[in-house]
Amino acid sequence: MPNIALELGKQSASLGINAAYGEQRDVGGVQVIPVSLSWTGFGGGSDDAGNGGGGGGGWAVPVGAYIRRGGEVRFEPNIVSLLTVAIPFVWVAGRALSRVIRALKK
């Protein structure tokens, strides 16, 4: 039986930057390159009896796209996805900052 961790490692190495930037598409004379925030994880193991297993998962949020019209390139964000990612981040950062300020006041 092949080592599942090595096989998963080889397969996930090809994800890299391709998972964050999609293939360029031409839509009505406009070139579009989608951008996403992605995360993947894999794990595996076995016990002393030789029983083993593994699994993996992934998550991706489309954050926007690079749009090229003529010679101009600009990023157009996906507002709903950016808010979905930004709200928890801002909440955690605010909580951490308030605790740091409280600790400095003491």
Coordinates of all heavy atoms in Angstrom, one line a residue:
M1 N 0.8 -1.2 0.0 CA 0.0 0.0 0.0 C 0.9 1.2 0.0 O 1.8 1.4 0.8 CB -0.9 0.0 1.2 CG -1.8 1.1 1.3 SD -3.1 0.9 2.6 CE -2.8 2.3 3.6
P2 N 0.7 2.2 -0.9 CA 1.5 3.4 -1.0 C 1.3 4.3 0.3 O 0.2 4.2 0.9 CB 1.0 4.1 -2.2 CG -0.3 3.6 -2.5 CD -0.4 2.2 -1.9
N3 N 2.3 5.0 0.6 CA 2.2 6.0 1.7 C 1.2 7.1 1.3 O 1.5 7.9 0.4 CB 3.6 6.5 2.0 CG 3.6 7.3 3.3 OD1 2.6 7.8 3.8 ND2 4.7 7.4 3.9
I4 N 0.1 7.2 2.0 CA -1.0 8.1 1.6 C -0.5 9.6 1.9 O -0.9 10.5 1.1 CB -2.3 7.8 2.4 CG1 -3.4 8.6 1.7 CG2 -2.2 8.1 3.8 CD1 -4.8 8.1 2.1
A5 N 0.3 9.8 2.9 CA 0.8 11.1 3.2 C 1.6 11.7 2.0 O 1.5 12.8 1.6 CB 1.5 11.2 4.5
L6 N 2.5 10.8 1.5 CA 3.3 11.3 0.4 C 2.5 11.5 -0.9 O 2.7 12.5 -1.6 CB 4.4 10.2 0.1 CG 5.5 10.0 1.1 CD1 6.4 8.9 0.8 CD2 6.2 11.3 1.3
E7 N 1.5 10.7 -1.1 CA 0.6 10.9 -2.3 C -0.2 12.2 -2.2 O -0.3 12.9 -3.1 CB -0.3 9.7 -2.5 CG 0.4 8.4 -2.9 CD 1.1 8.6 -4.2 OE1 0.5 9.2 -5.2 OE2 2.2 8.0 -4.4
L8 N -0.7 12.4 -1.0 CA -1.5 13.7 -0.8 C -0.6 14.9 -0.9 O -1.0 15.9 -1.5 CB -2.2 13.7 0.6 CG -3.3 12.7 0.7 CD1 -3.8 12.7 2.2 CD2 -4.5 13.1 -0.2
G9 N 0.7 14.8 -0.4 CA 1.6 15.9 -0.6 C 1.9 16.2 -2.0 O 2.0 17.4 -2.4
K10 N 2.1 15.2 -2.8 CA 2.4 15.4 -4.2 C 1.2 16.0 -4.9 O 1.4 16.9 -5.8 CB 2.7 14.0 -4.9 CG 4.0 13.5 -4.5 CD 4.2 12.1 -5.2 CE 5.5 11.4 -4.7 NZ 5.6 10.0 -5.2
Q11 N 0.0 15.6 -4.6 CA -1.2 16.2 -5.3 C -1.4 17.6 -4.8 O -1.8 18.4 -5.6 CB -2.4 15.3 -5.0 CG -2.3 14.0 -5.7 CD -3.5 13.1 -5.3 OE1 -4.4 13.5 -4.6 NE2 -3.5 11.9 -5.8
S12 N -1.2 17.9 -3.5 CA -1.5 19.2 -3.0 C -0.4 20.2 -3.5 O -0.7 21.4 -3.5 CB -1.6 19.3 -1.5 OG -0.4 18.9 -0.9
A13 N 0.8 19.8 -3.9 CA 1.8 20.7 -4.3 C 1.4 21.4 -5.6 O 1.8 22.5 -5.9 CB 3.1 19.9 -4.6
S14 N 0.5 20.7 -6.4 CA 0.1 21.4 -7.6 C -1.0 22.4 -7.4 O -1.3 23.2 -8.3 CB -0.4 20.3 -8.6 OG -1.6 19.7 -8.1
L15 N -1.6 22.5 -6.2 CA -2.7 23.5 -5.9 C -2.1 24.9 -5.9 O -2.4 25.7 -6.7 CB -3.4 23.1 -4.6 CG -4.2 21.8 -4.6 CD1 -4.7 21.6 -3.2 CD2 -5.3 21.9 -5.6
G16 N -1.2 25.2 -5.0 CA -0.5 26.4 -4.8 C -1.2 27.6 -5.4 O -2.3 27.9 -5.1
I17 N -0.5 28.4 -6.3 CA -1.0 29.6 -6.8 C -2.2 29.4 -7.7 O -3.0 30.3 -7.8 CB 0.1 30.4 -7.5 CG1 -0.2 31.8 -7.7 CG2 0.5 29.7 -8.8 CD1 -0.2 32.6 -6.5
N18 N -2.3 28.2 -8.3 CA -3.5 28.0 -9.2 C -4.8 28.0 -8.4 O -5.9 28.3 -9.0 CB -3.3 26.7 -9.9 CG -2.2 26.8 -10.9 OD1 -1.9 27.8 -11.5 ND2 -1.5 25.6 -11.1
A19 N -4.8 27.7 -7.1 CA -6.0 27.7 -6.3 C -6.4 29.1 -6.0 O -7.5 29.4 -5.8 CB -5.7 26.9 -5.0
A20 N -5.4 30.1 -6.0 CA -5.8 31.4 -5.7 C -6.1 32.3 -6.9 O -6.9 33.2 -6.8 CB -4.6 32.1 -5.0
Y21 N -5.6 31.9 -8.1 CA -5.9 32.6 -9.3 C -6.4 31.6 -10.4 O -5.7 30.7 -10.7 CB -4.6 33.3 -9.9 CG -4.1 34.4 -8.9 CD1 -3.0 34.1 -8.1 CD2 -4.6 35.6 -8.9 CE1 -2.6 35.0 -7.2 CE2 -4.2 36.6 -8.0 CZ -3.1 36.3 -7.2 OH -2.6 37.2 -6.3
G22 N -7.6 31.9 -10.9 CA -8.1 31.0 -11.9 C -7.6 31.3 -13.3 O -6.8 32.2 -13.5
E23 N -8.0 30.5 -14.2 CA -7.6 30.7 -15.6 C -8.3 31.9 -16.2 O -9.4 32.2 -15.9 CB -8.0 29.4 -16.4 CG -7.3 28.2 -16.0 CD -7.6 27.0 -16.9 OE1 -8.0 27.3 -18.1 OE2 -7.5 25.9 -16.5
Q24 N -7.5 32.6 -17.1 CA -8.0 33.8 -17.7 C -9.1 33.4 -18.7 O -9.0 32.4 -19.4 CB -6.9 34.4 -18.5 CG -7.4 35.7 -19.3 CD -6.2 36.3 -20.0 OE1 -5.2 36.5 -19.4 NE2 -6.4 36.6 -21.2
R25 N -10.2 34.1 -18.7 CA -11.3 33.9 -19.6 C -11.6 35.2 -20.4 O -11.4 36.3 -19.8 CB -12.6 33.6 -18.8 CG -12.5 32.4 -17.9 CD -12.6 31.1 -18.6 NE -12.5 30.0 -17.7 CZ -12.3 28.8 -18.0 NH1 -12.2 28.5 -19.3 NH2 -12.3 27.8 -17.1
D26 N -12.0 35.0 -21.6 CA -12.4 36.2 -22.4 C -13.9 36.2 -22.5 O -14.6 35.3 -22.9 CB -11.9 36.0 -23.8 CG -10.3 36.2 -23.9 OD1 -9.8 37.0 -23.1 OD2 -9.7 35.5 -24.7
V27 N -14.5 37.3 -22.0 CA -16.0 37.5 -21.9 C -16.3 38.8 -22.6 O -16.0 39.9 -22.1 CB -16.5 37.5 -20.5 CG1 -18.0 37.7 -20.4 CG2 -16.1 36.3 -19.7
G28 N -16.8 38.7 -23.8 CA -17.2 39.9 -24.6 C -16.1 40.8 -24.8 O -16.3 42.0 -24.7
G29 N -14.9 40.3 -25.2 CA -13.8 41.2 -25.4 C -13.0 41.7 -24.2 O -12.1 42.5 -24.3
V30 N -13.5 41.2 -23.0 CA -12.9 41.6 -21.7 C -12.2 40.4 -21.1 O -12.8 39.3 -21.1 CB -13.9 42.2 -20.8 CG1 -13.3 42.5 -19.4 CG2 -14.6 43.4 -21.3
Q31 N -11.0 40.5 -20.7 CA -10.3 39.4 -20.1 C -10.5 39.4 -18.6 O -10.3 40.5 -17.9 CB -8.8 39.5 -20.4 CG -8.5 39.4 -21.9 CD -7.1 39.7 -22.2 OE1 -6.4 40.4 -21.5 NE2 -6.6 39.1 -23.3
V32 N -10.9 38.3 -18.0 CA -11.2 38.2 -16.6 C -10.4 37.1 -16.0 O -10.3 36.0 -16.5 CB -12.7 37.8 -16.4 CG1 -13.1 37.6 -14.9 CG2 -13.6 38.8 -17.1
I33 N -9.7 37.4 -14.8 CA -8.9 36.4 -14.1 C -9.5 36.4 -12.6 O -9.4 37.3 -11.9 CB -7.4 36.8 -14.0 CG1 -6.9 36.9 -15.4 CG2 -6.7 35.8 -13.2 CD1 -5.5 37.5 -15.5
P34 N -10.2 35.3 -12.3 CA -10.8 35.2 -10.9 C -9.8 35.0 -9.9 O -8.7 34.4 -10.1 CB -11.7 34.0 -11.0 CG -11.2 33.2 -12.2 CD -10.5 34.1 -13.1
V35 N -10.1 35.6 -8.7 CA -9.2 35.5 -7.5 C -10.0 35.0 -6.3 O -11.1 35.4 -6.1 CB -8.6 36.9 -7.2 CG1 -7.7 36.8 -6.0 CG2 -7.9 37.5 -8.4
S36 N -9.4 34.0 -5.6 CA -10.0 33.5 -4.4 C -9.1 33.3 -3.3 O -7.8 33.2 -3.5 CB -10.7 32.1 -4.8 OG -9.6 31.2 -5.0
L37 N -9.6 33.3 -2.1 CA -8.9 33.0 -0.9 C -9.1 31.5 -0.6 O -10.3 31.1 -0.5 CB -9.4 33.9 0.3 CG -8.8 33.6 1.6 CD1 -7.3 34.0 1.7 CD2 -9.5 34.5 2.7
S38 N -8.1 30.7 -0.5 CA -8.3 29.3 -0.4 C -7.4 28.7 0.7 O -6.4 29.2 1.1 CB -8.0 28.6 -1.7 OG -6.6 28.7 -2.0
W39 N -7.9 27.5 1.2 CA -7.3 26.8 2.3 C -7.5 25.3 2.1 O -8.6 24.9 1.7 CB -7.9 27.2 3.6 CG -7.5 26.3 4.8 CD1 -6.3 26.5 5.5 CD2 -8.2 25.2 5.3 NE1 -6.3 25.5 6.5 CE2 -7.4 24.7 6.3 CE3 -9.3 24.6 4.9 CZ2 -7.8 23.6 7.1 CZ3 -9.7 23.5 5.7 CH2 -9.0 23.0 6.7
T40 N -6.5 24.5 2.2 CA -6.6 23.1 2.1 C -5.9 22.4 3.3 O -4.9 23.0 3.8 CB -6.1 22.5 0.8 OG1 -4.7 22.9 0.7 CG2 -6.8 23.0 -0.4
G41 N -6.3 21.2 3.7 CA -5.6 20.5 4.7 C -5.8 19.0 4.5 O -6.9 18.6 4.0
F42 N -4.8 18.2 4.9 CA -4.9 16.8 4.7 C -4.3 16.2 6.0 O -3.4 16.8 6.7 CB -4.0 16.3 3.5 CG -4.5 16.9 2.2 CD1 -3.9 18.0 1.7 CD2 -5.6 16.3 1.6 CE1 -4.4 18.5 0.5 CE2 -6.1 16.8 0.4 CZ -5.5 17.9 -0.2
G43 N -4.7 15.0 6.3 CA -4.2 14.2 7.5 C -4.3 12.8 7.3 O -5.1 12.3 6.4
G44 N -3.6 12.0 8.0 CA -3.7 10.6 7.9 C -2.9 9.9 9.1 O -2.2 10.6 9.8
G45 N -3.2 8.7 9.3 CA -2.5 8.0 10.4 C -2.9 6.5 10.4 O -3.7 6.1 9.7
S46 N -2.3 5.8 11.4 CA -2.6 4.4 11.6 C -2.3 4.0 13.0 O -1.5 4.7 13.7 CB -1.8 3.5 10.6 OG -0.4 3.6 10.9
D47 N -2.9 2.9 13.4 CA -2.6 2.4 14.8 C -1.7 1.3 14.8 O -1.2 0.9 13.7 CB -4.0 2.1 15.5 CG -4.7 1.0 14.8 OD1 -4.2 0.4 13.8 OD2 -5.9 0.8 15.1
D48 N -1.4 0.7 15.9 CA -0.5 -0.5 16.0 C -0.9 -1.7 15.3 O -0.1 -2.5 14.8 CB -0.2 -0.8 17.5 CG 0.5 0.3 18.2 OD1 1.2 1.1 17.5 OD2 0.4 0.4 19.4
A49 N -2.2 -1.9 15.1 CA -2.8 -3.0 14.4 C -2.7 -2.9 12.9 O -3.1 -3.8 12.1 CB -4.2 -3.3 14.8
G50 N -2.3 -1.8 12.4 CA -2.1 -1.6 11.0 C -3.4 -1.0 10.3 O -3.5 -0.8 9.1
N51 N -4.4 -0.6 11.1 CA -5.5 0.1 10.6 C -5.2 1.5 10.4 O -4.7 2.2 11.2 CB -6.7 0.0 11.6 CG -7.1 -1.5 11.8 OD1 -7.1 -2.3 10.9 ND2 -7.4 -1.8 13.1
G52 N -5.5 2.0 9.2 CA -5.2 3.4 8.9 C -6.3 4.1 8.2 O -7.3 3.5 7.7
G53 N -6.1 5.4 8.0 CA -7.0 6.2 7.3 C -6.5 7.6 7.1 O -5.4 7.9 7.5
G54 N -7.2 8.3 6.3 CA -6.8 9.7 6.0 C -8.0 10.4 5.5 O -9.1 9.9 5.2
G55 N -7.8 11.7 5.3 CA -8.8 12.6 4.8 C -8.3 13.9 4.5 O -7.1 14.3 4.7
G56 N -9.1 14.7 3.9 CA -8.7 16.1 3.6 C -9.9 16.9 3.3 O -11.0 16.5 3.3
G57 N -9.6 18.2 3.2 CA -10.7 19.1 3.0 C -10.2 20.4 2.4 O -9.0 20.7 2.4
G58 N -11.1 21.3 2.0 CA -10.7 22.5 1.5 C -11.8 23.6 1.6 O -12.9 23.2 1.8
W59 N -11.4 24.8 1.4 CA -12.3 25.9 1.5 C -11.8 27.0 0.6 O -10.6 27.3 0.5 CB -12.3 26.4 3.0 CG -13.0 27.6 3.3 CD1 -14.4 27.7 3.5 CD2 -12.5 28.9 3.6 NE1 -14.7 29.0 3.9 CE2 -13.5 29.7 4.0 CE3 -11.2 29.4 3.6 CZ2 -13.4 31.0 4.3 CZ3 -11.0 30.7 4.0 CH2 -12.1 31.5 4.3
A60 N -12.8 27.7 -0.1 CA -12.4 28.8 -1.0 C -13.5 29.8 -1.0 O -14.7 29.5 -1.0 CB -12.2 28.2 -2.4
V61 N -13.1 31.1 -1.0 CA -14.0 32.2 -1.1 C -13.6 33.1 -2.2 O -12.5 33.6 -2.3 CB -14.0 33.0 0.2 CG1 -14.8 34.3 0.1 CG2 -14.4 32.2 1.4
P62 N -14.5 33.3 -3.2 CA -14.1 34.1 -4.3 C -14.1 35.6 -3.9 O -15.1 36.1 -3.5 CB -15.3 33.9 -5.4 CG -16.4 33.4 -4.5 CD -15.8 32.7 -3.3
V63 N -13.0 36.2 -3.9 CA -12.9 37.6 -3.4 C -12.9 38.7 -4.5 O -13.1 39.8 -4.2 CB -11.6 37.8 -2.6 CG1 -11.6 37.0 -1.3 CG2 -10.3 37.5 -3.4
G64 N -12.9 38.2 -5.8 CA -13.0 39.2 -6.9 C -12.4 38.7 -8.2 O -12.2 37.5 -8.3
A65 N -12.1 39.7 -9.0 CA -11.4 39.3 -10.3 C -10.6 40.5 -10.8 O -10.9 41.7 -10.6 CB -12.5 38.9 -11.3
Y66 N -9.5 40.2 -11.5 CA -8.8 41.2 -12.3 C -9.5 41.3 -13.6 O -9.7 40.3 -14.3 CB -7.3 40.8 -12.4 CG -6.5 41.0 -11.2 CD1 -6.2 39.9 -10.4 CD2 -6.2 42.3 -10.8 CE1 -5.4 40.1 -9.2 CE2 -5.4 42.5 -9.6 CZ -5.1 41.4 -8.9 OH -4.4 41.6 -7.7
I67 N -9.8 42.5 -14.0 CA -10.5 42.8 -15.3 C -9.5 43.6 -16.2 O -9.0 44.6 -15.8 CB -11.8 43.6 -15.1 CG1 -12.7 42.9 -14.0 CG2 -12.5 43.8 -16.4 CD1 -13.2 41.6 -14.4
R68 N -9.3 43.1 -17.4 CA -8.5 43.8 -18.4 C -9.4 44.2 -19.6 O -9.9 43.4 -20.3 CB -7.4 42.9 -18.9 CG -6.5 43.7 -19.9 CD -5.4 42.8 -20.5 NE -4.5 42.5 -19.4 CZ -3.5 41.6 -19.5 NH1 -3.4 40.8 -20.6 NH2 -2.7 41.5 -18.6
R69 N -9.4 45.6 -19.7 CA -10.1 46.2 -20.9 C -9.1 47.0 -21.6 O -8.7 48.0 -21.1 CB -11.3 47.0 -20.4 CG -12.5 46.3 -19.9 CD -13.7 47.2 -19.6 NE -14.8 46.4 -19.1 CZ -15.2 46.4 -17.9 NH1 -14.6 47.2 -17.0 NH2 -16.2 45.7 -17.5
G70 N -8.8 46.6 -22.8 CA -7.8 47.3 -23.6 C -6.5 47.2 -22.8 O -6.0 46.1 -22.6
G71 N -5.8 48.3 -22.5 CA -4.6 48.3 -21.8 C -4.7 48.6 -20.3 O -3.8 48.6 -19.6
E72 N -6.0 48.7 -19.8 CA -6.2 49.0 -18.4 C -6.5 47.7 -17.7 O -7.4 46.9 -18.1 CB -7.4 49.9 -18.3 CG -7.8 50.3 -16.9 CD -9.1 51.1 -16.8 OE1 -9.5 51.6 -17.9 OE2 -9.6 51.2 -15.7
V73 N -5.9 47.5 -16.5 CA -6.1 46.3 -15.6 C -6.5 46.8 -14.3 O -5.9 47.7 -13.7 CB -4.9 45.4 -15.5 CG1 -5.2 44.3 -14.5 CG2 -4.5 44.9 -16.8
R74 N -7.6 46.3 -13.7 CA -8.0 46.7 -12.4 C -8.7 45.6 -11.7 O -9.2 44.6 -12.3 CB -9.0 47.9 -12.4 CG -10.4 47.6 -12.9 CD -11.3 48.9 -12.8 NE -12.6 48.5 -13.1 CZ -13.2 48.6 -14.2 NH1 -12.5 49.1 -15.2 NH2 -14.5 48.3 -14.4
F75 N -8.7 45.6 -10.3 CA -9.3 44.6 -9.5 C -10.7 45.0 -9.1 O -10.9 46.1 -8.6 CB -8.4 44.4 -8.2 CG -9.0 43.3 -7.3 CD1 -8.8 42.0 -7.7 CD2 -9.7 43.6 -6.2 CE1 -9.4 41.0 -6.8 CE2 -10.2 42.7 -5.4 CZ -10.0 41.3 -5.7
E76 N -11.6 44.1 -9.4 CA -13.0 44.4 -9.0 C -13.4 43.4 -7.9 O -13.5 42.2 -8.2 CB -14.0 44.3 -10.2 CG -13.8 45.4 -11.2 CD -14.8 45.4 -12.3 OE1 -15.8 44.6 -12.2 OE2 -14.6 46.1 -13.2
P77 N -13.6 43.9 -6.6 CA -13.9 42.9 -5.5 C -15.3 42.4 -5.6 O -16.2 43.0 -6.1 CB -13.7 43.8 -4.3 CG -14.0 45.2 -4.8 CD -13.5 45.3 -6.2
N78 N -15.5 41.2 -5.0 CA -16.8 40.6 -4.8 C -17.1 41.1 -3.3 O -16.7 40.5 -2.4 CB -16.7 39.1 -4.8 CG -18.0 38.4 -4.6 OD1 -18.9 39.0 -4.0 ND2 -18.1 37.1 -5.0
I79 N -18.0 42.1 -3.2 CA -18.3 42.7 -1.9 C -18.8 41.7 -0.9 O -18.4 41.8 0.3 CB -19.2 43.9 -2.1 CG1 -18.6 45.0 -3.1 CG2 -19.6 44.5 -0.8 CD1 -17.3 45.6 -2.6
V80 N -19.7 40.9 -1.3 CA -20.3 39.9 -0.4 C -19.3 39.0 0.2 O -19.2 38.8 1.4 CB -21.5 39.1 -1.1 CG1 -22.0 38.1 -0.1 CG2 -22.6 40.1 -1.5
S81 N -18.4 38.5 -0.6 CA -17.4 37.6 -0.1 C -16.4 38.3 0.7 O -15.9 37.8 1.8 CB -16.7 36.9 -1.3 OG -17.5 36.0 -1.9
L82 N -16.0 39.5 0.3 CA -15.0 40.3 1.1 C -15.6 40.6 2.5 O -14.9 40.5 3.5 CB -14.6 41.6 0.4 CG -13.7 41.4 -0.7 CD1 -13.4 42.7 -1.4 CD2 -12.4 40.7 -0.3
L83 N -16.9 40.9 2.6 CA -17.5 41.2 3.9 C -17.6 39.9 4.7 O -17.3 39.9 6.0 CB -18.9 41.7 3.7 CG -19.0 43.2 3.3 CD1 -20.4 43.6 3.0 CD2 -18.3 44.1 4.3
T84 N -17.8 38.8 4.1 CA -17.8 37.5 4.8 C -16.5 37.2 5.4 O -16.4 36.6 6.5 CB -18.2 36.3 3.8 OG1 -19.5 36.7 3.2 CG2 -18.3 35.0 4.5
V85 N -15.4 37.5 4.7 CA -14.1 37.3 5.3 C -13.7 38.4 6.2 O -13.0 38.1 7.3 CB -13.1 37.2 4.1 CG1 -11.6 37.2 4.6 CG2 -13.3 36.0 3.2
A86 N -14.0 39.6 6.0 CA -13.6 40.8 6.8 C -14.2 40.9 8.1 O -13.6 41.3 9.1 CB -13.7 42.1 6.0
I87 N -15.5 40.6 8.2 CA -16.3 40.8 9.5 C -15.7 40.0 10.6 O -15.4 40.5 11.7 CB -17.8 40.6 9.3 CG1 -18.4 41.7 8.5 CG2 -18.5 40.4 10.6 CD1 -19.8 41.5 8.1
P88 N -15.4 38.7 10.4 CA -14.8 37.9 11.5 C -13.4 38.4 11.9 O -13.0 38.5 13.0 CB -14.7 36.5 11.0 CG -15.7 36.4 10.0 CD -15.8 37.8 9.4
F89 N -12.6 38.8 10.8 CA -11.3 39.4 11.1 C -11.3 40.6 11.9 O -10.6 40.8 12.8 CB -10.6 39.6 9.7 CG -9.2 40.2 9.9 CD1 -8.1 39.5 10.3 CD2 -9.1 41.6 9.6 CE1 -6.9 40.1 10.5 CE2 -7.8 42.2 9.7 CZ -6.7 41.5 10.2
V90 N -12.2 41.6 11.5 CA -12.3 42.8 12.2 C -12.8 42.6 13.7 O -12.3 43.2 14.6 CB -13.3 43.8 11.5 CG1 -13.6 45.0 12.3 CG2 -12.6 44.2 10.2
W91 N -13.7 41.6 13.9 CA -14.2 41.3 15.2 C -13.0 40.8 16.1 O -12.8 41.3 17.2 CB -15.3 40.3 15.2 CG -15.9 40.0 16.5 CD1 -16.8 40.7 17.2 CD2 -15.6 38.9 17.3 NE1 -17.1 40.1 18.4 CE2 -16.3 39.0 18.5 CE3 -14.7 37.8 17.2 CZ2 -16.3 38.1 19.5 CZ3 -14.7 36.9 18.2 CH2 -15.4 37.0 19.3
V92 N -12.2 39.9 15.6 CA -11.1 39.3 16.3 C -10.1 40.4 16.6 O -9.5 40.5 17.7 CB -10.5 38.1 15.6 CG1 -9.2 37.7 16.2 CG2 -11.5 36.9 15.6
A93 N -9.7 41.2 15.6 CA -8.8 42.2 15.8 C -9.2 43.3 16.8 O -8.4 43.7 17.7 CB -8.5 42.9 14.4
G94 N -10.5 43.6 16.8 CA -11.0 44.5 17.8 C -11.0 44.0 19.2 O -10.6 44.7 20.1
R95 N -11.3 42.7 19.4 CA -11.2 42.1 20.7 C -9.8 42.1 21.2 O -9.5 42.3 22.3 CB -11.8 40.7 20.6 CG -13.3 40.5 20.3 CD -14.1 40.6 21.6 NE -13.7 39.6 22.5 CZ -14.5 39.3 23.5 NH1 -15.6 39.9 23.7 NH2 -14.1 38.3 24.3
A96 N -8.9 41.7 20.3 CA -7.5 41.6 20.7 C -7.0 43.0 21.1 O -6.3 43.2 22.1 CB -6.6 41.0 19.6
L97 N -7.3 44.0 20.3 CA -6.9 45.4 20.6 C -7.4 45.9 21.9 O -6.7 46.5 22.7 CB -7.3 46.3 19.4 CG -6.8 47.8 19.5 CD1 -5.3 47.8 19.6 CD2 -7.3 48.6 18.4
S98 N -8.7 45.6 22.2 CA -9.3 46.0 23.5 C -8.6 45.4 24.6 O -8.4 46.0 25.7 CB -10.8 45.8 23.5 OG -11.1 44.4 23.5
R99 N -8.2 44.1 24.5 CA -7.5 43.4 25.6 C -6.1 44.0 25.8 O -5.7 44.1 26.9 CB -7.5 41.9 25.3 CG -8.9 41.3 25.5 CD -8.9 39.9 25.3 NE -10.2 39.4 25.4 CZ -10.5 38.1 25.7 NH1 -9.6 37.2 25.8 NH2 -11.8 37.7 25.8
V100 N -5.5 44.3 24.7 CA -4.1 44.9 24.8 C -4.2 46.3 25.5 O -3.4 46.6 26.4 CB -3.5 45.1 23.4 CG1 -2.2 45.9 23.5 CG2 -3.1 43.7 22.9
I101 N -5.2 47.1 25.1 CA -5.4 48.4 25.8 C -5.7 48.2 27.2 O -5.1 49.0 28.1 CB -6.5 49.2 25.0 CG1 -6.0 49.6 23.6 CG2 -6.9 50.4 25.8 CD1 -7.0 50.2 22.7
R102 N -6.6 47.3 27.6 CA -6.9 47.1 29.0 C -5.7 46.6 29.8 O -5.4 47.1 30.9 CB -8.0 46.0 29.1 CG -9.3 46.6 29.4 CD -10.3 45.5 29.8 NE -11.3 45.5 28.7 CZ -11.8 44.4 28.2 NH1 -11.5 43.2 28.6 NH2 -12.6 44.6 27.2
A103 N -4.8 45.8 29.2 CA -3.6 45.3 29.9 C -2.6 46.4 30.1 O -1.9 46.5 31.1 CB -3.0 44.2 29.1
L104 N -2.5 47.4 29.1 CA -1.6 48.5 29.2 C -2.1 49.5 30.2 O -1.2 50.2 30.8 CB -1.4 49.1 27.8 CG -0.7 48.3 26.8 CD1 -0.7 49.0 25.5 CD2 0.7 48.0 27.3
K105 N -3.4 49.6 30.5 CA -3.9 50.6 31.5 C -3.6 50.1 32.9 O -3.5 51.0 33.8 CB -5.4 50.7 31.3 CG -5.8 51.6 30.1 CD -7.3 51.8 30.1 CE -7.7 52.7 28.9 NZ -9.2 52.9 28.9
K106 N -3.4 48.8 33.1 CA -3.2 48.3 34.5 C -1.8 48.6 34.9 O -0.8 48.9 34.8 CB -3.4 46.8 34.6 CG -4.9 46.5 34.4 CD -5.1 45.1 34.5 CE -6.6 44.8 34.4 NZ -6.9 43.4 34.6

